[in-house]
Amino acid sequence: MNLVFKLKRAVAVIATFTLLASNASVAIAQTFNDVATDHWAFDYIEQLVDEGVFDVSDNFRPNDPLNRAELVKIVITAIDGLAGYAAPATPTFDDVAADAWFYDYVEAAVQLGVVAGYTDAAGNLTGMFGPGDTVKRADATKILVNAFNVPTTLTPASSFPDVSSSAWFYSYVTTAYNQSILDGYSNGNFGPVDPVTRAQVAKLTVNAQNPV
């Protein structure tokens, strides 16, 4: 790891601390019964509550996985993607009906280039989005990097043993790590196929809003 990158990561830590400290006035009260003030994701979650990204309710369910429709709603709300949005006359995806609660969010994400839907083995679009499918960590990273137009940063190369340079998600995960948006597990792995949790998405979203 070169000196420039070490300095960049140090700046990221300072920036994150400053960000959380600046939100102290916002994140004093505990909004959700199941996210105590000492929860590792408390500040991230409270910031997104303050921004109107998360609705206020009794529980947040920080360890629950997200489906694709839920993630797209979070992302589009965080970037104010429905401002000036016009719904298309015909749905883009066969499995996203115009009367679905997530229709506008998914279509806005398509218009903004955040999502494109599933592809087949040959790389051709299938016309399916999979709104109820559980989001994996690699997929969530790609969506967030695209949503916030995070500059591609592939130097240094990925240090995650489970993120091969030939993997489709390599550039997204490496960029997100180098831009201090995400970290891996304590064992050194990234866990690309693991379900992403609501707490993890809160952290990723806040960090993607302010890449270092």
Short mmCIF file of all heavy atoms in Angstrom, two decimals, residues 151-176:
data_model
loop_
_atom_site.label_atom_id
_atom_site.label_comp_id
_atom_site.label_asym_id
_atom_site.label_seq_id
_atom_site.Cartn_x
_atom_site.Cartn_y
_atom_site.Cartn_z
N PRO A 151 -16.28 8.36 -8.79
CA PRO A 151 -15.20 8.20 -9.78
C PRO A 151 -14.51 6.85 -9.64
O PRO A 151 -14.17 6.43 -8.54
CB PRO A 151 -14.24 9.35 -9.44
CG PRO A 151 -15.07 10.34 -8.70
CD PRO A 151 -16.07 9.54 -7.93
N THR A 152 -14.32 6.16 -10.76
CA THR A 152 -13.65 4.87 -10.75
C THR A 152 -12.22 5.04 -10.26
O THR A 152 -11.46 5.86 -10.79
CB THR A 152 -13.65 4.24 -12.14
OG1 THR A 152 -15.00 4.06 -12.57
CG2 THR A 152 -12.94 2.89 -12.15
N THR A 153 -11.87 4.26 -9.24
CA THR A 153 -10.53 4.34 -8.64
C THR A 153 -10.04 2.92 -8.40
O THR A 153 -10.46 2.26 -7.45
CB THR A 153 -10.56 5.11 -7.31
OG1 THR A 153 -11.26 6.34 -7.48
CG2 THR A 153 -9.15 5.40 -6.82
N LEU A 154 -9.15 2.43 -9.24
CA LEU A 154 -8.70 1.05 -9.17
C LEU A 154 -7.28 0.90 -8.64
O LEU A 154 -6.72 -0.20 -8.66
CB LEU A 154 -8.80 0.40 -10.56
CG LEU A 154 -10.20 0.41 -11.19
CD1 LEU A 154 -10.18 -0.28 -12.54
CD2 LEU A 154 -11.22 -0.25 -10.26
N THR A 155 -6.71 1.99 -8.16
CA THR A 155 -5.37 1.94 -7.58
C THR A 155 -5.44 2.46 -6.14
O THR A 155 -5.93 3.55 -5.90
CB THR A 155 -4.39 2.82 -8.38
OG1 THR A 155 -4.38 2.37 -9.73
CG2 THR A 155 -2.99 2.72 -7.80
N PRO A 156 -4.98 1.65 -5.17
CA PRO A 156 -4.39 0.32 -5.35
C PRO A 156 -5.42 -0.73 -5.70
O PRO A 156 -6.62 -0.51 -5.56
CB PRO A 156 -3.76 0.05 -3.97
CG PRO A 156 -4.63 0.81 -3.03
CD PRO A 156 -5.00 2.07 -3.75
N ALA A 157 -4.93 -1.88 -6.14
CA ALA A 157 -5.80 -2.99 -6.51
C ALA A 157 -6.49 -3.54 -5.27
O ALA A 157 -6.07 -3.30 -4.13
CB ALA A 157 -4.98 -4.09 -7.20
N SER A 158 -7.54 -4.30 -5.49
CA SER A 158 -8.30 -4.87 -4.38
C SER A 158 -7.43 -5.79 -3.53
O SER A 158 -6.64 -6.57 -4.04
CB SER A 158 -9.49 -5.66 -4.92
OG SER A 158 -10.12 -6.38 -3.89
N SER A 159 -7.61 -5.68 -2.22
CA SER A 159 -6.90 -6.56 -1.30
C SER A 159 -7.81 -7.64 -0.73
O SER A 159 -7.39 -8.42 0.12
CB SER A 159 -6.31 -5.73 -0.14
OG SER A 159 -7.35 -5.07 0.57
N PHE A 160 -9.07 -7.68 -1.21
CA PHE A 160 -10.00 -8.70 -0.74
C PHE A 160 -9.73 -10.02 -1.46
O PHE A 160 -9.80 -10.07 -2.69
CB PHE A 160 -11.45 -8.28 -1.00
CG PHE A 160 -11.87 -7.04 -0.26
CD1 PHE A 160 -12.32 -5.93 -0.96
CD2 PHE A 160 -11.84 -6.99 1.12
CE1 PHE A 160 -12.74 -4.79 -0.29
CE2 PHE A 160 -12.25 -5.85 1.81
CZ PHE A 160 -12.70 -4.75 1.10
N PRO A 161 -9.44 -11.08 -0.74
CA PRO A 161 -9.16 -12.37 -1.40
C PRO A 161 -10.37 -12.94 -2.13
O PRO A 161 -10.21 -13.78 -3.02
CB PRO A 161 -8.73 -13.28 -0.24
CG PRO A 161 -9.29 -12.64 0.99
CD PRO A 161 -9.29 -11.17 0.73
N ASP A 162 -11.58 -12.51 -1.78
CA ASP A 162 -12.77 -13.02 -2.45
C ASP A 162 -13.32 -12.06 -3.50
O ASP A 162 -14.46 -12.18 -3.95
CB ASP A 162 -13.86 -13.36 -1.43
CG ASP A 162 -14.26 -12.18 -0.55
OD1 ASP A 162 -13.57 -11.14 -0.60
OD2 ASP A 162 -15.26 -12.30 0.20
N VAL A 163 -12.48 -11.10 -3.93
CA VAL A 163 -12.84 -10.18 -5.01
C VAL A 163 -11.77 -10.30 -6.09
O VAL A 163 -10.77 -9.60 -6.09
CB VAL A 163 -12.96 -8.73 -4.52
CG1 VAL A 163 -13.29 -7.80 -5.68
CG2 VAL A 163 -14.04 -8.62 -3.45
N SER A 164 -11.99 -11.22 -7.01
CA SER A 164 -11.04 -11.48 -8.08
C SER A 164 -11.08 -10.37 -9.12
O SER A 164 -12.12 -9.75 -9.36
CB SER A 164 -11.38 -12.82 -8.75
OG SER A 164 -10.72 -12.96 -9.98
N SER A 165 -9.95 -10.10 -9.74
CA SER A 165 -9.88 -9.06 -10.77
C SER A 165 -10.74 -9.40 -11.98
O SER A 165 -11.06 -8.53 -12.78
CB SER A 165 -8.42 -8.85 -11.20
OG SER A 165 -7.88 -10.04 -11.74
N SER A 166 -11.12 -10.67 -12.12
CA SER A 166 -11.97 -11.08 -13.24
C SER A 166 -13.46 -11.03 -12.91
O SER A 166 -14.29 -11.24 -13.78
CB SER A 166 -11.60 -12.51 -13.67
OG SER A 166 -11.82 -13.44 -12.62
N ALA A 167 -13.79 -10.73 -11.66
CA ALA A 167 -15.20 -10.69 -11.25
C ALA A 167 -15.88 -9.46 -11.83
O ALA A 167 -15.28 -8.38 -11.95
CB ALA A 167 -15.30 -10.67 -9.73
N TRP A 168 -17.16 -9.60 -12.17
CA TRP A 168 -17.88 -8.48 -12.78
C TRP A 168 -17.97 -7.28 -11.85
O TRP A 168 -18.09 -6.13 -12.28
CB TRP A 168 -19.29 -8.91 -13.20
CG TRP A 168 -20.21 -9.24 -12.06
CD1 TRP A 168 -20.50 -10.47 -11.56
CD2 TRP A 168 -20.97 -8.31 -11.26
NE1 TRP A 168 -21.38 -10.38 -10.51
CE2 TRP A 168 -21.70 -9.08 -10.31
CE3 TRP A 168 -21.11 -6.93 -11.27
CZ2 TRP A 168 -22.54 -8.49 -9.36
CZ3 TRP A 168 -21.95 -6.34 -10.32
CH2 TRP A 168 -22.66 -7.11 -9.40
N PHE A 169 -17.90 -7.54 -10.55
CA PHE A 169 -18.05 -6.47 -9.57
C PHE A 169 -16.72 -5.89 -9.10
O PHE A 169 -16.69 -5.02 -8.22
CB PHE A 169 -18.84 -6.99 -8.35
CG PHE A 169 -18.33 -8.30 -7.80
CD1 PHE A 169 -17.23 -8.35 -6.96
CD2 PHE A 169 -18.95 -9.49 -8.14
CE1 PHE A 169 -16.76 -9.55 -6.46
CE2 PHE A 169 -18.50 -10.71 -7.64
CZ PHE A 169 -17.40 -10.73 -6.79
N TYR A 170 -15.62 -6.35 -9.67
CA TYR A 170 -14.29 -5.94 -9.19
C TYR A 170 -14.13 -4.41 -9.17
O TYR A 170 -13.71 -3.84 -8.17
CB TYR A 170 -13.19 -6.55 -10.06
CG TYR A 170 -11.80 -6.09 -9.67
CD1 TYR A 170 -11.12 -6.69 -8.61
CD2 TYR A 170 -11.17 -5.03 -10.34
CE1 TYR A 170 -9.86 -6.26 -8.24
CE2 TYR A 170 -9.92 -4.61 -9.97
CZ TYR A 170 -9.26 -5.21 -8.92
OH TYR A 170 -8.01 -4.77 -8.55
N SER A 171 -14.45 -3.77 -10.28
CA SER A 171 -14.22 -2.32 -10.36
C SER A 171 -15.09 -1.55 -9.38
O SER A 171 -14.66 -0.54 -8.81
CB SER A 171 -14.46 -1.81 -11.78
OG SER A 171 -15.82 -1.98 -12.16
N TYR A 172 -16.31 -2.04 -9.15
CA TYR A 172 -17.21 -1.34 -8.23
C TYR A 172 -16.74 -1.48 -6.78
O TYR A 172 -16.70 -0.50 -6.03
CB TYR A 172 -18.63 -1.90 -8.37
CG TYR A 172 -19.21 -1.74 -9.74
CD1 TYR A 172 -19.34 -2.83 -10.60
CD2 TYR A 172 -19.63 -0.50 -10.21
CE1 TYR A 172 -19.87 -2.69 -11.88
CE2 TYR A 172 -20.17 -0.34 -11.48
CZ TYR A 172 -20.27 -1.45 -12.30
OH TYR A 172 -20.80 -1.30 -13.56
N VAL A 173 -16.39 -2.70 -6.40
CA VAL A 173 -15.95 -2.93 -5.02
C VAL A 173 -14.62 -2.23 -4.76
O VAL A 173 -14.43 -1.58 -3.72
CB VAL A 173 -15.83 -4.44 -4.74
CG1 VAL A 173 -15.20 -4.68 -3.36
CG2 VAL A 173 -17.19 -5.10 -4.82
N THR A 174 -13.69 -2.32 -5.70
CA THR A 174 -12.39 -1.68 -5.53
C THR A 174 -12.53 -0.17 -5.46
O THR A 174 -11.91 0.49 -4.62
CB THR A 174 -11.45 -2.07 -6.69
OG1 THR A 174 -11.34 -3.49 -6.75
CG2 THR A 174 -10.06 -1.47 -6.49
N THR A 175 -13.37 0.38 -6.33
CA THR A 175 -13.63 1.82 -6.31
C THR A 175 -14.24 2.23 -4.98
O THR A 175 -13.81 3.22 -4.35
CB THR A 175 -14.57 2.21 -7.45
OG1 THR A 175 -13.88 2.09 -8.69
CG2 THR A 175 -15.08 3.64 -7.29
N ALA A 176 -15.24 1.49 -4.52
CA ALA A 176 -15.91 1.84 -3.27
C ALA A 176 -14.96 1.76 -2.09
O ALA A 176 -15.01 2.59 -1.17
CB ALA A 176 -17.11 0.93 -3.05
#
